[in-house]
Amino acid sequence: MKTPIDLIRPRREGPLTERLARERPGFGLPQLPATRQPTATTRLICGFCATGCGLDVHLHDGQAVGLTPSNDHPVNLGMACPKGWEALTPLAAPDRATTPLLKDQHGHLKPVDWTTALDAFVTGMRAVQAEHGPESVAFLSTGQIVTEEMALLGALAKFGMGMRHGDGNTRQCMATSVAAYKESFGFDAPPYSYDDLEESDVIVLVGSNLCLTHPIMWERVTRNPHNPEIVVIDPRRTETASAATVHLPLLPKSDLTLLYGLAHLVIANGWVDDAFVHDHTTGYDELAAHLVAFTPERVSAETGIAPAELERVARLIGTGERVSLWWTMGVNQSHQGTRTAQAIINLALLTGSIGRPGTGANSITGQCNAMGSRLFSNTTNLLGGHDFANPEHRLKVAQILGMDQARIPDGPSWAYDRIIEGINKGEIRGLWVIATNSAHSWINQHETRRLFDKLDFLVVQDLYTTTETAEMADLVLPAAGWAEKEGTFINSERRLGMVKRVARAPGQALADFWIFKAIAEAWGCGHLFAAWTDPETVFGILQELSAGQPCDITGVRGYDEVDTGVVQWPYRDEDRVEPLGPAPADRVDATDRRAQRRLFADGRFFTPDGRARLVWGDPVAPIERPSTEYPLVLLTGRGSSAQWHTGTRTSKSATLRALAPDGPWVEIDPADAAERGIEGGQEVVVRTARGRMIARAHLTPTVGRGRVFVSMHDARTNQLTFPSFDPQSRQPSYKFAAVQVSVPNPWDLTP
Ligand SMILES: Nc1nc2c(c(=O)[nH]1)N[C@H]1C(S)=C(S)[C@@H](COP(=O)(O)OP(=O)(O)OC[C@H]3O[C@@H](n4cnc5c(=O)[nH]c(N)nc54)[C@H](O)[C@@H]3O)O[C@H]1N2
Ligand SMILES: Nc1nc2c(c(=O)[nH]1)N[C@H]1C(S)=C(S)[C@@H](COP(=O)(O)OP(=O)(O)OC[C@H]3O[C@@H](n4cnc5c(=O)[nH]c(N)nc54)[C@H](O)[C@@H]3O)O[C@H]1N2
Ligand code: SF4
Ligand SMILES: [Mo]
């Protein structure tokens, strides 16, 4: 696809070295005189959250000069949250990485040219592999680069460079949903369209602060004309809970018991959709036997929710006509995440709330392209949602890629936590970190930072030189960002969208795609990727790989069709819909029902027998329990709609900074604060057995007695968290640790 910038700056062609040589330093966003108005507009999908809003970027001479939310995009219907409005600003930040940086003999990162950097990369990684074996280098990737780049990275690392282990920040985020869907539905397949938010009579949100974390999905809820019941299950009375019709402020991590209690009542009251369960599921009798023990009395005692409230919510779910159940990190980030997500799926299956408008067991995705990563990053799945352990899958992929099958590892990678443990044990000596800030976001940083220091060779590929992880690197590779490159994202509702090149990356920074291509050539395996000439060609390869899979996208007619916004997977020839075309100027509601597709309308799932599985387990308590020394429970999560994760991008915008709280703060109940002599706004010490941070006390009853909340946006937060993991998904349980909060002791000089 030709984007406007291609017209003024021809597509880079010829040998890679020539392309690299043509990159010129010194570019920021253009400073245009006020008289120069935009001359064209093109649509990009937002690069922050997985809602996937369309942003119309206004161009002058092919360069981005501003943006407005798209009116006629089926996702956001003219709306955007503050991050979307400010999406271009972080590109012009002064700490952009503009050249590669290599650590000199004094331990200082110094600018070098690309030839030196590529040489250092190859020499460094090969030296580790020569001494400790090919599997002693690993990579950590992301849900925040385009699918074509993820696929190239995964293929290069595993098929070209001999790595076996590579995982991504999606492990911190979506691994639980993936594990739950795979076991229950036979494939990692979120079934819904956002339209379902407008079609439901009952919307149940479990561990999701939708107002703040997916604001445009929340806007879709507010457009629901059916006056829906909105049930929020969250220990805190969040922004979302305040707007709900029912809030269940359960004890942290008692979700599994609560959900079993609701299913118990659904069965006891005869609200099961017997025909659906009989025709389309397996495991009902075992599940029903398991649920007998979850009486309202027991569940109330273990969750802190009164029996009458349990009854009320069970009735809403059991008797509602169109019930949709949604979940996010309050579920995924827990020591029993997968079983909890499946308990939600079970409720939808028991009541036949799936495959119809306004229904579904719906995991809400986090990062802009976590869905692309789940299918095409070659980390936990073999390219295209295939299985590394399946010889037929390996053969299919090898044939499509024209590669020797022996290059494809015959089993999955270690998960993120095992890679970190591998560093500790000396099994992993070289690490390549792409588009994630592990030294801030991984759990239990107290340990992680020390381990990163043990690495022989750490390479970080990022937009900025100042991230916690980049500052520890031996080599920094400067990457172009969103809007400085092209490719596709897949959003939460399986919708594909375009990222386009509407700004030039600063200095020598290159799109990740071209960095991977350059590394492939420098490594000597460039020939394996000769057919991977540019992102759109790679998209074609990914289409071929998807053939016959649930995520089959063989019907898509190139980037131009992705750009229309109608493509949701599966998208085979028979799934194609006519492009929506521009919305008439007076049309406020741009939702075209043809572009809102959901899965399982025929009741057939992706398991071999076509039936969904009802899966359950026994609730167990979190490992770390509150004690006399640490009597409170620490919850963590998102702090404001203006902050994104580790802040590398959002902190660069004055507007977003103004919308975010100033510095770290801790939410604490006024009674808990009074017991400790803490006043509102006061600086306090938040301490766990692993670390401590100074934060300002925000006294609020919304967090609940016995709990405190700290946002994840401060790097100190993960000094506090306790490393426990869901056994099925290996996702970290970021939202439960024993903690104490106290007024600072002036004699305590601990930093
Ligand atoms: N503004 C903004 N938006 C974002 C992001 C961002 O950084 N900033 N990140 C994006 C990403 S990657 C993700 S994954 C999503 C996350 O989106 P959310 O999951 O909505 O966000 P969190 O704040 O992490 O957690 C949600 C809620 O879980 C609750 N919780 C904690 N413990 C429990 C529990 O035991 N049970 C239940 N039921 N709830 C519990 C917390 O109180 C919190 O309100 O947001 C996406 N959107
Ligand atoms: N305590 C606690 N910790 C948490 C969570 C929590 O709820 N509580 N949530 C977890 C979750 S759900 C998530 S998703 C993770 C997120 O954790 P991270 O992935 O570490 O957070 P980000 O700040 O999004 O980091 C992305 C990095 O990629 C860079 N980047 C952006 N675009 C590009 C690009 O195009 N190319 C390259 N090469 N780099 C790019 C950014 O500058 C940034 O440094 O945090 C997890 N950590
Ligand atoms: S809701 Fe998400 S996708 Fe939409 S503008 Fe905000 S950050 Fe971007
Ligand atoms: Mo996430």
Side-chain angles (χ1 to χ4, degrees):
M1 166 194 285
K2 283 245 178 295
T3 56
I5 201 165
D6 292 309
L7 303 176
I8 56 155
R9 195 176 188 235
R11 224 191 188 109
R12 290 175 297 183
E13 271 152 10
L16 188 72
T17 40
E18 255 180 69
R19 285 203 297 271
L20 298 182
R22 256 186 264 147
E23 291 289 329
R24 287 290 173 269
F27 179 78
L29 282 179
Q31 301 296 308
L32 290 180
T35 48
R36 291 174 68 186
Q37 294 301 311
T39 50
T41 291
T42 190
R43 179 159 312 161
L44 275 70
I45 300 304
C46 178
F48 287 103
C49 89
T51 306
C53 296
L55 302 173
D56 290 341
V57 175
H58 308 297
L59 309 161
H60 191 102
D61 288 344
Q63 299 283 323
V65 291
L67 63 80
T68 42
S70 314
N71 275 317
D72 56 349
H73 191 65
V75 168
N76 52 317
L77 316 173
M79 305 176 279
C81 84
K83 296 184 296 303
W85 280 101
E86 277 295 285
L88 291 166
T89 308
L91 299 177
D95 60 342
R96 281 296 298 268
T98 55
T99 65
L101 301 173
L102 183 64
K103 208 168 247 178
D104 66 14
Q105 68 267 40
H106 309 294
H108 301 306
L109 284 168
K110 288 284 161 59
V112 293
D113 61 22
W114 271 106
T115 311
T116 312
L118 293 170
D119 189 52
F121 182 95
V122 173
T123 316
M125 291 295 183
R126 277 204 192 282
V128 172
Q129 284 185 324
E131 198 173 337
H132 304 283
E135 295 178 8
S136 61
V137 297
F139 68 96
L140 292 174
S141 78
T142 184
Q144 296 180 55
I145 58 179
V146 293
T147 310
E148 294 78 355
E149 293 175 340
M150 291 172 175
L152 177 53
L153 167 62
L156 165 65
K158 292 199 170 179
F159 311 155
M161 297 169 66
M163 290 190 207
R164 188 180 185 99
H165 304 303
D167 202 6
N169 61 6
T170 36
R171 181 73 60 179
Q172 294 158 287
C173 183
M174 303 316 299
T176 290
S177 298
V178 175
Y181 277 142
K182 272 191 179 171
E183 195 178 6
S184 296
F185 291 167
F187 196 78
D188 174 20
Y192 59 94
S193 267
Y194 297 148
D195 201 34
D196 292 318
L197 293 166
E198 298 182 25
E199 293 276 315
S200 295
D201 306 317
V202 179
I203 296 171
V204 183
L205 295 162
V206 193
S208 155
N209 191 3
L210 202 68
C211 280
L212 189 148
T213 54
H214 299 90
I216 302 309
M217 289 180 69
W218 177 256
E219 291 295 331
R220 299 289 298 265
V221 173
T222 65
R223 288 163 46 97
N224 185 316
H226 310 293
N227 192 24
E229 292 279 355
I230 303 171
V231 180
V232 169
I233 301 178
D234 193 310
R236 298 189 300 143
R237 193 166 79 240
T238 57
E239 294 77 355
T240 317
S242 308
T245 55
V246 186
H247 174 213
L248 301 184
L250 79 176
L251 291 169
K253 296 291 154 271
S254 65
D255 300 66
L256 193 54
T257 304
L258 179 89
L259 293 159
Y260 288 158
L262 295 175
H264 172 106
L265 288 168
V266 165
I267 293 178
N269 288 291
W271 292 324
V272 172
D273 182 337
D274 293 320
F276 186 89
V277 168
H278 179 267
D279 293 346
H280 302 298
T281 70
T282 56
Y284 176 77
D285 292 340
E286 294 86 343
L287 175 67
H290 172 70
L291 292 174
V292 170
F294 292 86
T295 60
E297 298 67 36
R298 167 182 169 188
V299 172
S300 176
E302 292 178 15
T303 62
I305 303 298
E309 286 291 274
L310 296 172
E311 173 78 28
R312 178 175 170 207
V313 171
R315 180 177 297 276
L316 289 174
I317 295 171
T319 63
E321 183 53 34
R322 293 173 168 206
V323 179
S324 57
L325 301 127
W326 309 77
W327 78 89
T328 322
M329 291 308 121
V331 170
N332 282 11
Q333 296 172 343
S334 45
H335 67 291
Q336 288 196 291
T338 302
R339 293 295 174 250
T340 309
Q342 288 170 327
I344 298 172
I345 294 172
N346 292 349
L347 277 172
L349 294 172
L350 287 176
T351 56
S353 301
I354 197 150
R356 292 181 289 116
T359 65
N362 304 332
S363 150
I364 302 167
T365 311
Q367 306 167 76
C368 49
N369 199 25
M371 288 289 291
S373 151
R374 284 150 73 168
L375 297 175
F376 292 107
S377 69
N378 218 25
T379 52
T380 42
N381 292 318
L382 177 58
L383 295 170
H386 291 96
D387 184 356
F388 279 103
N390 181 329
E392 281 169 33
H393 285 186
R394 292 201 300 277
L395 182 64
K396 172 184 166 186
V397 170
Q399 280 174 342
I400 292 174
L401 300 186
M403 276 180 199
D404 182 355
Q405 201 191 329
R407 288 190 171 275
I408 303 182
D410 59 4
S413 149
W414 282 345
Y416 203 134
D417 67 303
R418 184 64 184 86
I419 292 176
I420 299 289
E421 190 190 325
I423 300 174
N424 194 24
K425 291 183 172 163
E427 296 159 326
I428 300 288
R429 306 279 187 140
L431 189 68
W432 181 15
V433 178
I434 304 100
T436 184
N437 188 4
S438 314
H440 174 142
S441 59
W442 185 245
I443 201 159
N444 190 17
Q445 281 300 323
H446 173 64
E447 185 74 347
T448 311
R449 293 287 189 99
R450 181 181 68 76
L451 294 182
F452 275 29
D453 273 336
K454 282 180 72 171
L455 288 164
D456 294 342
F457 195 49
L458 173 63
V459 181
V460 173
Q461 185 166 321
D462 203 286
L463 266 56
Y464 304 103
T465 57
T466 53
T467 76
E468 285 83 2
T469 318
E471 286 181 341
M472 303 186 76
D474 298 298
L475 174 67
V476 176
L477 301 178
W482 175 87
E484 295 170 342
K485 57 182 177 181
E486 75 172 353
T488 55
F489 285 162
I490 308 178
N491 80 356
S492 230
E493 51 166 3
R494 314 179 316 285
R495 191 180 300 280
L496 276 65
M498 288 302 309
V499 176
K500 299 172 198 168
R501 189 154 174 257
V502 291
R504 280 187 199 139
Q508 307 286 325
L510 288 175
D512 295 286
F513 188 86
W514 297 111
I515 299 178
F516 300 142
K517 285 285 279 183
I519 288 174
E521 288 194 17
W523 194 270
C525 62
H527 60 285
L528 293 176
F529 306 99
W532 302 49
T533 50
D534 57 87
E536 189 161 11
T537 309
V538 171
F539 184 75
I541 297 172
L542 301 183
Q543 286 184 278
E544 259 189 86
L545 287 165
S546 76
Q549 289 289 90
C551 59
D552 191 324
I553 47 170
T554 49
V556 184
R557 305 288 194 266
Y559 277 179
D560 285 330
E561 192 175 26
V562 172
D563 203 28
T564 64
V566 301
V567 178
Q568 269 172 302
W569 68 255
Y571 203 79
R572 299 152 297 182
D573 280 335
E574 59 266 39
D575 301 314
R576 303 188 68 246
V577 288
E578 290 308 310
L580 290 174
D586 61 350
R587 198 171 87 186
V588 185
D589 182 358
T591 310
D592 185 317
R593 295 261 134 82
R594 293 173 310 165
Q596 305 285 327
R597 296 164 60 230
R598 60 186 61 77
L599 302 177
F600 312 131
D602 57 0
R604 282 198 65 77
F605 294 85
F606 298 122
T607 49
D609 61 5
R611 289 165 172 275
R613 306 264 178 275
L614 293 158
V615 187
W616 49 269
D618 291 315
V620 296
I623 301 171
E624 185 174 74
R625 305 295 300 163
S627 59
T628 20
E629 199 177 353
Y630 304 106
L632 303 167
V633 172
L634 173 69
L635 308 175
T636 69
R638 275 78 194 153
S640 76
S641 67
Q643 286 165 290
W644 181 256
H645 297 160
T646 74
T648 67
R649 286 191 280 165
T650 44
S651 70
K652 308 297 158 52
S653 153
T655 309
L656 296 179
R657 283 200 307 276
L659 293 170
D662 202 7
W665 43 272
V666 52
E667 284 181 11
I668 182 167
D669 187 90
D672 287 327
E675 274 176 13
R676 292 164 173 75
I678 294 169
E679 284 170 24
Q682 184 179 355
E683 279 200 343
V684 293
V685 182
V686 184
R687 206 157 40 83
T688 68
R690 294 155 295 282
R692 40 178 260 149
M693 77 190 280
I694 306 289
R696 274 185 308 110
H698 176 49
L699 273 44
T700 169
T702 56
V703 68
R705 280 304 300 269
R707 306 157 201 168
V708 298
F709 176 84
V710 176
S711 93
M712 66 164 296
H713 309 299
D714 190 88
R716 290 243 163 186
T717 300
N718 278 320
Q719 302 276 350
L720 307 176
T721 44
F722 176 76
S724 91
F725 302 88
D726 174 62
Q728 281 82 26
S729 72
R730 302 309 300 165
Q731 181 157 344
S733 174
Y734 285 108
K735 292 181 172 18
F736 197 101
V739 66
Q740 178 60 298
V741 180
S742 52
V743 292
N745 172 354
W747 302 108
D748 180 0
L749 300 177
T750 322

